[in-house]
Amino acid sequence: MKQFKIILLFLFLLPFVNANAQEGRKIKVACIGNSITFGYGIKDRIKDAYPEQLARMLGEGYEVKNFGISGKTLLSKGNAPYIETQAYKDALAYNPDIVIIKLGTNDSKDFNWVYKDEFKADYLRLLESFQNIESKPTIYPCLAVPVYEKGRKISAEIVTNEVNPKIREIAKEQGLKLIDLYTPMLGKGKLFPDAIHPNGEGAGEIAKIIYENLSGKKAVLVDQSFPGKKTEWKGFTRFDFEFDGKKAFVIEPTKAVPGKPWVWRARFPGWHTEMDSILLSEGFHLAYLNTNNQFGSPKAMKSWDRFYKYLIRSHDFSKKVALEGVSRGGLFVYNWAKMHPELVSCIYTEAPVCDFKSWPGGFGSGIGSEKDWKTLKEEYGFKSDAEAKKYDNNPIDNLEGLAKAKVPVLHMISLTDSVVPPKENTFPLINKYLELGGIATVVTCTEGKQTLHGHHFPIETPRLGADFIKYYSKPEAKPLDPSAYHNLRNGLQNSQIKFEHEKR
């Protein structure tokens, strides 16, 4: 009988899967739910909430989106109705092919369950809203997981004896395949640390149950170090994922250095990667968050704060990070470093923008960018050029805290750069920084072909930048004598750098 059911399910899904494959698009799965779907309490919910674990098992032919929101109810008169959230609107707009609904746990609270007579009608309205979208998705209602402690606001008795029977009845009347998340999770209280929310292992068990209901195949979890799509990058493993609504990636070394030191790149992550390759080969992680068109604005810095907290809390990265900024990336690394000098081991930049009046403003001797200047003003909320010019928190401003924290900085520049002229960017910043007692080094790059009005130039000694970051990423690091950089640079100028990972 079990084999017969699996065959029927496979036959049902086969035309659906083939149609999507022929169209060359992925099957879209929307996971609707509360904090259990969201992944509340899981150390790395972006990687280990059940929708993400389900996505890895389903593989490349599927795209799974997590639309879970903590604390939400199915009941429209509940204290926090799911249908009033932006996530609900986004899920409808997503036009999914498959919808997984896991709601009902928060409805069991006494102040919500007084509206229990409306539960069925509200559930049917939710179903109808998805049944009426263009994609006409297959919908799977789920029974709520067990609650492992009595006497809480969320009622174990109501979930078991009232909420789940109603969901079961609705699924039967509507002819929908019900996914039972309750029975298989009984007796697994150790996977629910707070008696309500599963940990990463528990979320994996939920994902396995849903996978088997969707595919008819035995589920095998697919684990990985970081969330997202796993690919190869110059001999290392790269993970691309979405964070805070923005694209992000982490590249991990073959063997991480104890303490997990890391480099955080700002802007143009594919430019001049030789130094990054060296650091990866020597045990550093590399991270990037795409805030490209935000020019280091306060809004971008809030995203940076969240990304930083995610990496140190969920992946135990070193609390001190080495910042790497190329061109306009200078706006990001200096603005964030000035906010958090105690969290920065060092700053490495190439042709950095240190004053947006110079670029993209073009109010000095350099070549500005009218398009980028307009975008910058919009991002910062400036109503006029005059207001933007009065802004007093460019990287060249307010360096006292950074200098007091003795954060070392290294700038690679070209003296012929007329896009981001050093006289309007690097030189005023470095001079101020030195006067304040900061540690600073400037390397002028003179060899090789320079393009884009001197703004693009070869980095003659990527080993120098790597050693700068390596040295200052050590907990016991002390300021180096500037002559050490000079000697190191002279010794490496004509050397051919070979990386360990290229030998493998």
Side-chain angles (χ1 to χ4, degrees):
M1 178 63 71
K2 183 177 180 181
Q3 289 179 334
F4 180 67
K5 288 181 178 178
I6 291 174
I7 292 170
L8 281 179
L9 177 65
F10 178 74
L11 291 174
F12 170 72
L13 289 176
L14 187 60
F16 181 66
V17 173
N18 286 342
N20 281 277
Q22 289 172 5
E23 293 173 12
R25 70 176 185 90
K26 295 184 178 183
I27 298 170
K28 298 195 293 185
V29 182
C31 298
I32 310 301
N34 48 37
S35 54
I36 294 171
T37 298
F38 177 78
Y40 174 84
I42 297 174
K43 184 177 181 180
D44 185 0
R45 72 161 201 89
I46 298 177
K47 177 173 76 75
D48 290 331
Y50 98 71
E52 283 63 44
Q53 299 203 53
L54 175 65
R56 291 198 291 274
M57 285 188 286
L58 288 173
E60 285 294 312
Y62 290 77
E63 178 182 273
V64 182
K65 291 278 189 179
N66 187 340
F67 294 100
I69 299 290
S70 293
K72 300 308 173 184
T73 65
L74 182 283
L75 285 163
S76 298
K77 291 182 181 177
N79 68 311
Y82 184 81
I83 61 169
E84 293 180 4
T85 67
Q86 184 61 45
Y88 167 66
K89 297 174 185 176
D90 291 342
L92 291 171
Y94 182 54
N95 258 316
D97 301 298
I98 296 172
V99 177
I100 312 294
I101 300 176
K102 196 208 164 300
L103 286 165
T105 301
N106 292 305
D107 298 86
S108 71
K109 298 173 183 177
D110 56 4
F111 49 81
N112 289 324
W113 202 236
V114 294
Y115 303 108
K116 63 182 180 180
D117 291 341
E118 299 178 32
F119 187 86
K120 182 176 180 179
D122 287 345
Y123 208 116
L124 292 174
R125 274 193 290 272
L126 179 69
L127 290 175
E128 186 178 6
S129 67
F130 282 99
Q131 289 167 340
N132 288 336
I133 62 177
E134 183 181 352
S135 58
K136 303 298 180 188
T138 302
I139 303 173
Y140 295 85
C142 298
L143 295 184
V145 297
V147 177
Y148 280 96
E149 186 177 318
K150 296 183 179 181
R152 303 179 63 112
K153 284 185 179 179
I154 292 175
S155 170
E157 295 86 351
I158 291 176
V159 166
T160 301
N161 301 322
E162 298 189 61
V163 172
N164 277 345
K166 286 181 181 292
I167 295 173
R168 190 184 294 277
E169 179 185 343
I170 291 166
K172 183 177 180 180
E173 290 179 358
Q174 294 294 306
L176 301 175
K177 180 175 175 57
L178 177 72
I179 298 179
D180 182 0
L181 296 179
Y182 181 83
T183 308
M185 299 304 289
L186 286 171
K188 296 182 178 179
K190 65 179 182 178
L191 302 182
F192 294 77
D194 66 356
I196 295 170
H197 301 94
N199 57 18
E201 184 182 353
E205 291 301 307
I206 291 173
K208 286 166 65 176
I209 296 166
I210 294 174
Y211 173 84
E212 290 179 354
N213 276 271
L214 294 183
S215 69
K217 301 176 184 177
K218 183 175 176 57
V220 178
L221 291 176
V222 179
D223 195 19
Q224 58 187 44
S225 306
F226 294 89
K229 185 177 180 180
K230 182 178 178 181
T231 57
E232 184 273 338
W233 186 88
K234 297 191 174 184
F236 303 101
T237 304
R238 170 171 165 161
F239 300 90
D240 286 85
F241 54 98
E242 186 176 291
F243 181 88
D244 203 29
K246 306 176 189 305
K247 292 182 179 179
F249 69 71
V250 171
I251 304 175
E252 65 177 357
T254 303
K255 184 178 181 181
V257 172
K260 287 192 175 181
W262 56 299
V263 178
W264 189 350
R265 283 206 67 153
R267 203 66 174 92
F268 308 113
W271 178 259
H272 286 173
T273 58
E274 297 87 354
M275 185 182 77
D276 297 332
S277 295
I278 296 172
L279 289 166
L280 282 161
S281 70
E282 296 177 2
F284 278 64
H285 282 79
L286 180 70
Y288 174 76
L289 178 67
N290 187 336
T291 49
N292 288 356
N293 292 318
Q294 294 186 273
F295 299 94
S297 69
K299 287 186 285 186
M301 295 299 95
K302 288 180 180 178
S303 293
W304 272 51
D305 283 345
R306 289 188 282 269
F307 192 52
Y308 170 84
K309 289 175 183 177
Y310 166 69
L311 291 175
I312 65 164
R313 292 175 180 176
S314 297
H315 292 281
D316 303 315
F317 277 20
S318 169
K319 289 185 178 179
K320 282 201 170 186
V321 58
L323 300 177
E324 181 181 346
V326 175
S327 189
R328 71 187 73 180
L331 295 170
F332 294 92
V333 297
Y334 272 105
N335 286 351
W336 195 80
K338 288 191 299 180
M339 292 169 58
H340 308 288
E342 75 284 0
L343 304 180
V344 180
S345 60
C346 58
I347 297 173
Y348 169 91
T349 65
E350 297 174 11
V353 176
C354 303
D355 185 347
F356 59 52
K357 294 190 296 294
S358 172
W359 190 94
F363 295 107
S365 63
I367 302 170
S369 169
E370 184 177 346
K371 178 182 177 182
D372 288 307
W373 179 241
K374 180 181 178 182
T375 302
L376 183 146
K377 287 190 293 183
E378 292 172 353
E379 176 66 22
Y380 277 79
F382 299 137
K383 294 182 174 62
S384 65
D385 287 356
E387 184 179 355
K389 288 179 182 180
K390 290 179 181 178
Y391 187 73
D392 60 358
N393 198 24
N394 270 283
I396 61 172
D397 304 313
N398 308 316
L399 293 163
E400 290 81 5
L402 207 58
K404 184 178 180 180
K406 299 294 183 183
V407 176
V409 304
L410 171 60
H411 287 213
M412 297 277 191
I413 64 168
S414 166
L415 296 176
T416 65
D417 189 347
S418 58
V419 176
V420 182
K423 289 183 179 180
E424 298 171 5
N425 292 274
T426 284
F427 293 162
L429 184 147
I430 295 298
N431 287 336
K432 287 182 182 180
Y433 201 56
L434 291 172
E435 289 174 1
L436 291 167
I439 304 162
T441 302
V442 178
V443 175
T444 56
C445 298
T446 59
E447 295 184 1
K449 185 178 181 181
Q450 300 194 1
T451 58
L452 194 63
H453 307 284
H455 190 54
H456 290 176
F457 49 85
I459 301 299
E460 301 154 22
T461 54
R463 180 83 244 182
L464 170 62
D467 282 347
F468 168 81
I469 290 174
K470 280 182 64 181
Y471 180 84
Y472 283 110
S473 294
K474 296 177 182 177
E476 70 280 7
K478 296 179 181 179
L480 282 176
D481 185 327
S483 64
Y485 290 119
H486 178 74
N487 294 335
L488 179 59
R489 183 186 182 211
N490 289 342
L492 291 173
Q493 270 184 335
N494 299 317
S495 66
Q496 180 180 2
I497 297 172
K498 297 181 179 180
F499 309 127
E500 291 180 13
H501 71 275
E502 290 179 336
K503 298 175 184 178
R504 295 196 294 270

